[in-house]
Amino acid sequence: MNLLLLDDADFVGADRAILRDRRLRHLREVHRAEAGDSLRVGRLGGAMGEGRLLRLEAAEAELQVVFDRPPPAKLPLTLLLALPRPKMLKRVLQTVAAMGVPRLVLLNSYRVEKSFWQTPFLEAQAIREQLLLGLEQARDTVLPEVLVEKRFKPFVEDHLPQLAAGTLGLLGHPGDYPPCPRAVERPVTLAIGPEGGWIPYEVDKLQAAGLAPVQLGERILRVETAVTALLARLF
Amino acid sequence: MNLLLLDDADFVGADRAILRDRRLRHLREVHRAEAGDSLRVGRLGGAMGEGRLLRLEAAEAELQVVFDRPPPAKLPLTLLLALPRPKMLKRVLQTVAAMGVPRLVLLNSYRVEKSFWQTPFLEAQAIREQLLLGLEQARDTVLPEVLVEKRFKPFVEDHLPQLAAGTLGLLGHPGDYPPCPRAVERPVTLAIGPEGGWIPYEVDKLQAAGLAPVQLGERILRVETAVTALLARLF
């Protein structure tokens, strides 16, 4: 936790906040914080700054906070991701939030196992928890928007063309395609497939919606690693 | 497992191998393979090709194999990494093998907790297991060399200058430094710090050994994410 994220419910005054949950335990047990310590704070969806611990007790902590700087910029990106397996989903959500992705679409694909859609990690509260961990890691305050699209065809046919309009549309796919471009200067719509890749029908549909296939070399990377590698190369 | 890795002990003839362990279970339970199936195989440290399952039984499988192509090229890189916490170490070893890092040095740093050096995941067999998972994921056959250096100063003073000689020496460090370069065309020696970063003394020592600080932006990434992001940007 490199940033203590506060939300409206934590505030008891314009510059005072009270903590009682996981964040309090983390301050006590991991940071071994003490009254008087200063720490980096952010207001969820808002600015960042410094907090001073006025008191730190077993049941609650009180902070005085000053917000004086904006959160880091997001990437100009919409990321489409075939729904990963539940354990990977948790890590990918953290990575997506940490890397500064503002909008994530979790999409069905032929090679997404149907059981993956049953995971409790897809519930809004569970998604939010993982995103918050990513924001705390990277020091950001703005939650990414996460859309869950269980039907590939209607999404790709009816919504993706507008989403991708005016952006550089890319589709990460192994094969004889151009390498993923570097240091692009414009907004990107990027689709990353499931383990085993998109099937040809899906590649055709994504291309028809405006995404061009690009590859990252012959090594097959786990989804989380592929997401990081593609974003680091693009931006 | 995108590649079935065979080692010398698996072979019962020039083109015949017998499997009995984790790989057999994986073929049966995850791939649901059947006799007659073809799959990608690699010889540990050697070439890659195709294997045909002659028989697949509960206790063993027999394969006929043909090797006809080289493994993918490694990155021209020596990666120095402050020893991560044990759980992260496992994942980083997989990532390093998957991304094609040929040589990894696990190094001490002031901010590495002493207890991390006690983990069983640092035993040679445990390191090898994680590296094999990375090779199987990415389809590579050549194990990275992993050096474990528990003493920062003697390594950085006495060995690092020769290791880094003739390479582009870089030190990932947050702060007011140039951004990490992109698409470099020469061998690189890259050092990545612990959670919380290198201390100033360590930065000085690493610079004296020939590494120049570079940064990746204001977001603080987990070690595994930082490794992937830096490598994707450099190569």
Side-chain angles (χ1 to χ4, degrees):
Chain A
M1 192 167 82
N2 296 309
L3 179 76
L4 176 66
L5 265 178
L6 303 168
D7 69 17
D8 291 348
D10 299 318
F11 284 82
V12 294
D15 69 345
R16 294 291 168 101
I18 301 277
L19 291 184
R20 292 196 182 84
D21 57 9
R22 169 180 69 83
R23 297 164 297 172
L24 172 63
R25 288 196 303 280
H26 193 90
L27 284 184
R28 291 171 55 93
E29 293 165 17
V30 181
H31 287 249
R32 301 184 188 286
E34 295 177 8
D37 285 359
S38 279
L39 36 102
R40 299 248 199 170
V41 297
R43 186 156 193 157
L44 195 61
M48 312 209 298
E50 298 290 327
R52 199 162 58 85
L53 268 172
L54 301 177
R55 12 179 221 105
L56 180 67
E57 295 154 12
E60 64 176 45
E62 183 172 357
L63 289 131
Q64 182 169 32
V65 293
V66 182
F67 296 110
D68 58 1
R69 71 202 84 150
K74 296 284 192 194
L75 301 174
L77 173 71
T78 294
L79 179 62
L80 272 64
L81 207 58
L83 181 68
R85 60 181 62 246
K87 200 176 148 186
M88 179 61 80
L89 172 63
K90 288 177 64 177
R91 289 222 303 274
V92 165
L93 288 169
Q94 289 185 32
T95 301
V96 156
M99 297 280 291
V101 174
R103 183 158 53 175
L104 171 68
V105 182
L106 293 169
L107 187 59
N108 196 26
S109 152
Y110 183 79
R111 294 212 175 99
V112 170
E113 289 183 28
K114 287 203 171 48
S115 65
F116 295 176
W117 290 103
Q118 311 306 321
T119 175
F121 297 128
L122 269 179
E123 287 165 17
Q125 186 56 35
I127 288 178
R128 182 183 161 99
E129 270 172 37
Q130 299 304 321
L131 297 175
L132 287 173
L133 290 175
L135 296 180
E136 290 174 355
Q137 165 67 42
R139 291 193 185 142
D140 189 356
T141 66
V142 183
L143 284 165
E145 177 187 10
V146 177
L147 307 171
V148 176
E149 295 286 351
K150 283 188 72 166
R151 297 179 64 213
F152 179 88
K153 185 162 175 268
F155 173 76
V156 172
E157 283 187 348
D158 303 337
H159 298 292
L160 184 55
Q162 297 98 296
L163 259 182
T167 73
L168 177 62
L170 300 174
L171 161 61
H173 198 59
D176 189 17
Y177 297 111
C180 177
R182 296 175 187 270
V184 303
E185 301 278 336
R186 42 188 289 219
V188 171
T189 305
L190 170 67
I192 298 178
E195 290 173 45
W198 305 105
I199 62 171
Y201 166 84
E202 293 167 343
V203 173
D204 290 348
K205 285 286 180 195
L206 291 165
Q207 284 192 272
L211 310 193
V214 293
Q215 49 85 18
L216 249 194
E218 54 187 312
R219 294 174 180 275
I220 302 176
L221 302 177
R222 285 180 303 181
V223 172
E224 185 194 9
T225 310
V227 168
T228 303
L230 285 162
L231 300 189
R233 191 169 160 118
L234 281 168
F235 300 106
Chain B
M1 191 168 80
N2 296 310
L3 179 76
L4 176 66
L5 265 179
L6 303 168
D7 68 18
D8 291 348
D10 298 319
F11 283 83
V12 294
D15 69 344
R16 294 291 169 100
I18 301 277
L19 291 184
R20 291 195 183 84
D21 57 8
R22 169 180 69 85
R23 296 164 299 170
L24 172 64
R25 288 196 303 279
H26 193 91
L27 284 184
R28 291 172 56 92
E29 294 164 17
V30 181
H31 288 247
R32 301 183 188 288
E34 295 177 7
D37 285 0
S38 278
L39 35 102
R40 297 247 200 172
V41 297
R43 185 156 194 158
L44 193 61
M48 313 210 298
E50 298 291 328
R52 197 162 59 84
L53 267 172
L54 301 177
R55 16 180 217 103
L56 180 67
E57 295 155 12
E60 64 176 44
E62 183 172 357
L63 288 131
Q64 182 169 32
V65 293
V66 181
F67 296 109
D68 58 0
R69 73 205 80 152
K74 296 285 191 194
L75 301 174
L77 173 70
T78 295
L79 178 62
L80 272 64
L81 207 57
L83 181 69
R85 61 181 61 245
K87 200 175 149 185
M88 179 62 79
L89 172 63
K90 287 177 65 176
R91 290 223 303 274
V92 164
L93 289 169
Q94 289 184 33
T95 301
V96 156
M99 298 279 292
V101 175
R103 184 156 54 175
L104 171 68
V105 182
L106 293 168
L107 187 60
N108 196 26
S109 151
Y110 183 79
R111 294 211 176 99
V112 169
E113 289 183 28
K114 288 205 170 47
S115 65
F116 294 176
W117 289 103
Q118 310 306 321
T119 175
F121 297 128
L122 268 179
E123 287 165 18
Q125 185 56 34
I127 288 178
R128 182 184 161 99
E129 269 172 38
Q130 299 304 320
L131 296 175
L132 287 173
L133 291 174
L135 296 180
E136 290 174 354
Q137 165 66 44
R139 291 194 185 142
D140 189 357
T141 66
V142 183
L143 284 165
E145 176 187 10
V146 177
L147 306 171
V148 176
E149 295 286 352
K150 284 188 70 167
R151 298 178 64 212
F152 178 88
K153 187 162 174 269
F155 173 77
V156 172
E157 283 186 348
D158 303 337
H159 298 292
L160 185 55
Q162 295 100 296
L163 260 182
T167 73
L168 176 62
L170 301 174
L171 160 62
H173 198 60
D176 190 16
Y177 297 110
C180 177
R182 295 176 187 269
V184 301
E185 301 278 336
R186 43 189 286 218
V188 171
T189 305
L190 170 66
I192 299 179
E195 289 174 44
W198 305 105
I199 61 171
Y201 165 84
E202 293 167 342
V203 173
D204 290 348
K205 285 286 181 195
L206 291 165
Q207 284 192 271
L211 310 192
V214 293
Q215 49 85 18
L216 250 194
E218 55 188 311
R219 293 174 181 276
I220 301 176
L221 302 177
R222 284 180 304 181
V223 172
E224 185 194 9
T225 311
V227 167
T228 303
L230 285 162
L231 300 189
R233 194 172 158 116
L234 281 168
F235 300 106

